Structures are given as structure tokens and as C-alpha cells.
Amino acid sequence: MNVKRTIIPIIAIILASFNLRPVITSVSPMLGTIRESLHMSAATASLLTSLAVLCMGLFAPFAIKLANRFSIERAIAYSLILIGLATAARFFAYSAWVMLLTAFLAGIGIAIAGPLLSGFIKQNFTNPSRVVGIYSLALVVGASLGSGLSLPLSALFHTWQASAASWAILAVIAVFFWWKPIEKKPFTNTGSDASGSDNNLKQLLTDQKAWLLTAFFGLMAFMFYTIMAWLPPIVEDMGYSKQQAGMLLTLLTVAQMPATFLVPILNNRFQHRAVWLVGCSLLELIGLSMLLFSVNPWFSSLFIGIGAGGLFSLGLTLPIDEAKNIKEASILAAMTQSVGFVFAALGPFFVGLVRDYTGSFTAAIIGMMAIVIAMILIQIKIGNQKHQQIK
């Protein structure tokens, strides 16, 4: 029974997390090939990331309604099925609209699963920071697999469509753990609980700290998905090959792993929130400066990866730490992710537009550096506030 209540839920969380990034990161190393194959402009190609991220924001609020109706576990299972079907459909992506449709559908699935995994962690574990570290690490591992194996799989299958579709197997494996073996618990029990959820939402919408967390998450996600989408093309523009550019993206995602796992644990232990937030942002800023001045991109990827990994895990941890209960954890996660991902969707599209207009990535990199500076100012404000639950 103890194994069922601890090990199996953690395995389920890891397997679900594996599915939340490859549908995005597997596209980036093959973006040049996809553009040529489907005759897409840089701005249109950027929608393969931006559209998925936008859906992750727009549909996150529906996660709570689905959990109320089906339970958290069953809602996560449905979202994994949707991600798997959308990913598998890329096998037939011989036109731009098919690829865009798969990005749209996968984004909806990710939007549902993300906030509910936060609620599931709050519900089932007494020390959520450690589990969030595992959850965040699994997200990064999934992203790394998508970016690192997409080109080898493309060469193995002799088609980028088969490579992009092959990640559906992760959803098949994960659904097995979420459909039945995980014990289902009702998300709400009484009508008063539902009323309490509405009250929680109204309180969060007028709470300054909730909006600061949302602003931080939006800027963090803006940078994360912009870098994941455009680092390989930026590196290729510096004169490196597609294979080298893909390896640099893999290095970035691998560099995220230790920071993703350790930073939330260190933050929980030492309670110096501003230090960890600003420190990770400064690493991103250093890495972007290296890209701007064409310094060795291997070091740039390393700095950006460590910074992004720490910020991403903190972005997932802070709403859980601030919440009073499972419902508020899911609602606050849905709020930060809904507003945050809508803003983040502008990032890859912004870089695509600037690249089409200027013919280079210089102005786009300067814009990303400005975003990081704005994020640091918000982090200082978050760090100066007392570490206490949102009222």
C-alpha cells in the first residue's frame, strides 16, 4: 500500500511530464527542414511553438472544471490521450495547416495537464518541493529527449514527419498509469467546496502577490519557449551546422537538469527567494550577451540552460508553496499558467517577425535581454515580500 501511495504516483507524474514538452522541442532542431518542406516563412514557422504555448494559456482555466467533473487523475489521462493523438497525427503532416492543427490540439492537452499536476502534487505529498523538483526534472528530460533525438530519428525513419510523430509512444505509456492504477480522489465533495473555489479565484484576482507570480511566470515562459524555438536557427546563423545547432539545444536542456531539480530544494531550505530568482536570471542574461557578441555558443547554451532550469522549477514551485490547499494550488497554477503562457506565446512569434523584417537575430536578442531585465525587477519585488501563503 505504501508503494502504491508513493512510488506509483511519482512514476505517473514523471511519465506525464515526459509528454508535456517533446511536441514543442522536437520541432526546433528540424525547423529549417520543416520550413523548406512546407514552404513556411519564419513567422509562420514560429507558430508551431507560439500556437501550442498560446493554447496552454487559453485553456488552462478549463483544467479545474474537468477535474471537478472527472477527478484530477482522469482529467490528466484525457489530456495525455489528446497530446498523443495530436503528436501521432504529425505522421500525416504534408501541409502547414496540419502541423499548426497538431500544435493547437497538443497545446490544449498540455494546458489541462500542467495545472492539474500541481494540484495532484499538493494533494498527495507532504513535501511538495521535492516532488516538484522531480516533476520539473522530468519536464526537462522530456524536452531534452525531444530536442536531442529528433534529428537522429529523422535520419533513421528517412522523414521528419515520422520523427515528429514518434513521440506519441510516450503518451501511450503514461495513460496506462493514469487511467486506472492511480487511486482517484474527488476534486470537490460538496457544493460549498465549489463555492470555495469561486471565492479562492476572486481573492487571487485581487491579490498583488498572485499577479506578481503570474508576471514572473509569463516573462520566464516567454524566454524559455523563445530560446527553445529559436536557439538552433540563431546558432546556424552564426555559421554552425544543423547538427551542431541541435547539439547545442541538447546541451541547453541537459544543463537545465541539475538546476531544475536542486534550485527549488535549495530555495525551500535556505528561504532566500530573491537570490535564487535573480541569480538564475543573471545567468540567462550572460548567455544572451554571449549570443549577441557571437561568443562561443557552447558556453552561452550552458549559462542559459542553468538559468532557465532554475527559473522554470521556481515558476512551478512558488504557486504550490503559496497555496493554502489543493484547490488553491490548482487555481493559482492555472492563473499563472493561463496568463503567463498567453504572453509567452508572443515570444517565438516576435523573434520570427523580427528575423523576417531585419534579416538577422541581433534585434531579437536585444529584445530578449530587455525581457530578462524586466523579469529581474519583478523578482526583486517577489523576493522582498514575506514568504507566506496568499490570503
Side-chain angles (χ1 to χ4, degrees):
M1 181 63 68
N2 185 49
V3 172
K4 184 176 181 180
R5 290 181 177 177
T6 56
I7 302 301
I8 291 181
I10 289 176
I11 293 174
I13 291 169
I14 292 172
L15 292 175
S17 302
F18 280 168
N19 285 272
L20 303 188
R21 296 298 177 265
V23 72
I24 297 173
T25 61
S26 64
V27 168
S28 185
M30 303 186 295
L31 195 58
T33 302
I34 294 173
R35 286 182 59 191
E36 294 173 6
S37 174
L38 303 182
H39 308 291
M40 304 171 74
S41 67
T44 303
S46 71
L47 291 176
L48 295 177
T49 298
S50 288
L51 190 59
V53 178
L54 179 63
C55 289
M56 289 159 62
L58 293 177
F59 291 93
F62 293 96
I64 308 302
K65 295 183 180 298
L66 289 174
N68 283 331
R69 182 170 182 179
F70 298 111
S71 80
I72 288 182
E73 296 80 6
R74 187 54 59 89
I76 292 174
Y78 287 141
S79 69
L80 291 170
I81 292 172
L82 181 58
I83 294 170
L85 291 175
T87 305
R90 291 185 166 178
F91 186 80
F92 307 99
Y94 292 97
S95 63
W97 74 266
V98 174
M99 278 296 289
L100 293 174
L101 179 62
T102 63
F104 175 80
L105 295 175
I108 294 175
I110 297 170
I112 302 302
L116 294 186
L117 283 170
S118 296
F120 181 80
I121 291 171
K122 184 76 173 180
Q123 173 180 262
N124 288 276
F125 298 94
T126 56
N127 189 350
S129 293
R130 293 183 181 276
V131 183
V132 170
I134 296 172
Y135 166 36
S136 304
L137 180 61
L139 283 172
V140 174
V141 171
S144 179
L145 291 173
S147 62
L149 297 180
S150 60
L151 286 176
L153 288 173
S154 179
L156 176 65
F157 297 132
H158 305 291
T159 168
W160 65 263
Q161 286 92 343
S163 174
S166 63
W167 300 102
I169 189 65
L170 294 177
V172 175
I173 298 172
V175 168
F176 173 79
F177 276 81
W178 284 96
W179 192 258
K180 195 162 185 177
I182 289 290
E183 180 184 0
K184 295 188 287 293
K185 298 179 182 178
F187 192 61
T188 58
N189 294 319
T190 67
S192 61
D193 287 335
S195 176
S197 296
D198 292 338
N199 290 334
N200 283 338
L201 178 59
K202 291 177 182 178
Q203 290 173 352
L204 291 178
L205 289 175
T206 57
D207 189 274
Q208 183 189 41
K209 181 175 284 188
W211 282 108
L212 285 172
L213 294 177
T214 300
F216 158 61
F217 190 92
L219 293 172
M220 176 276 298
F222 182 103
M223 285 303 306
F224 182 84
Y225 289 104
T226 300
I227 288 294
M228 294 303 292
W230 286 107
L231 179 65
I234 289 173
V235 172
E236 287 178 44
D237 220 39
M238 295 169 61
Y240 291 81
S241 68
K242 290 182 179 180
Q243 287 72 23
Q244 289 174 315
M247 290 175 63
L248 282 165
L249 184 61
T250 301
L251 173 63
L252 185 148
T253 53
V254 170
Q256 293 178 41
M257 293 181 187
T260 296
F261 182 72
L262 293 175
V263 169
I265 296 175
L266 293 172
N267 175 65
N268 183 64
R269 181 177 178 84
F270 296 106
Q271 296 292 311
H272 293 297
R273 180 177 292 178
V275 172
W276 303 110
L277 290 169
V278 175
C280 290
S281 294
L282 288 176
L283 290 177
E284 280 196 334
L285 198 59
I286 292 171
L288 289 170
S289 300
M290 290 181 171
L291 285 180
L292 181 64
F293 296 106
S294 298
V295 180
N296 192 317
W298 297 94
F299 289 109
S300 176
S301 298
L302 189 63
F303 280 114
I304 295 174
I306 295 173
L311 290 175
F312 190 77
S313 59
L314 287 173
L316 295 174
T317 302
L318 294 181
I320 295 176
D321 286 346
E322 296 293 341
K324 297 191 291 288
N325 51 54
I326 170 184
K327 295 184 184 67
E328 189 172 284
S330 293
I331 293 171
L332 183 56
M335 175 181 172
T336 57
Q337 293 182 30
S338 178
V339 179
F341 281 138
V342 169
F343 177 72
L346 300 174
F349 187 62
F350 160 77
V351 172
L353 283 178
V354 173
R355 175 65 176 84
D356 283 340
Y357 182 75
T358 65
S360 74
F361 289 103
T362 301
I365 294 173
I366 293 173
M368 287 188 279
M369 293 174 68
I371 290 291
V372 175
I373 292 172
M375 180 166 59
I376 289 174
L377 296 177
I378 293 174
Q379 290 167 343
I380 292 173
K381 181 70 173 176
I382 293 174
N384 285 337
Q385 295 192 357
K386 279 189 173 183
H387 181 63
Q388 59 186 10
Q389 291 179 331
I390 291 173
K391 300 299 182 184

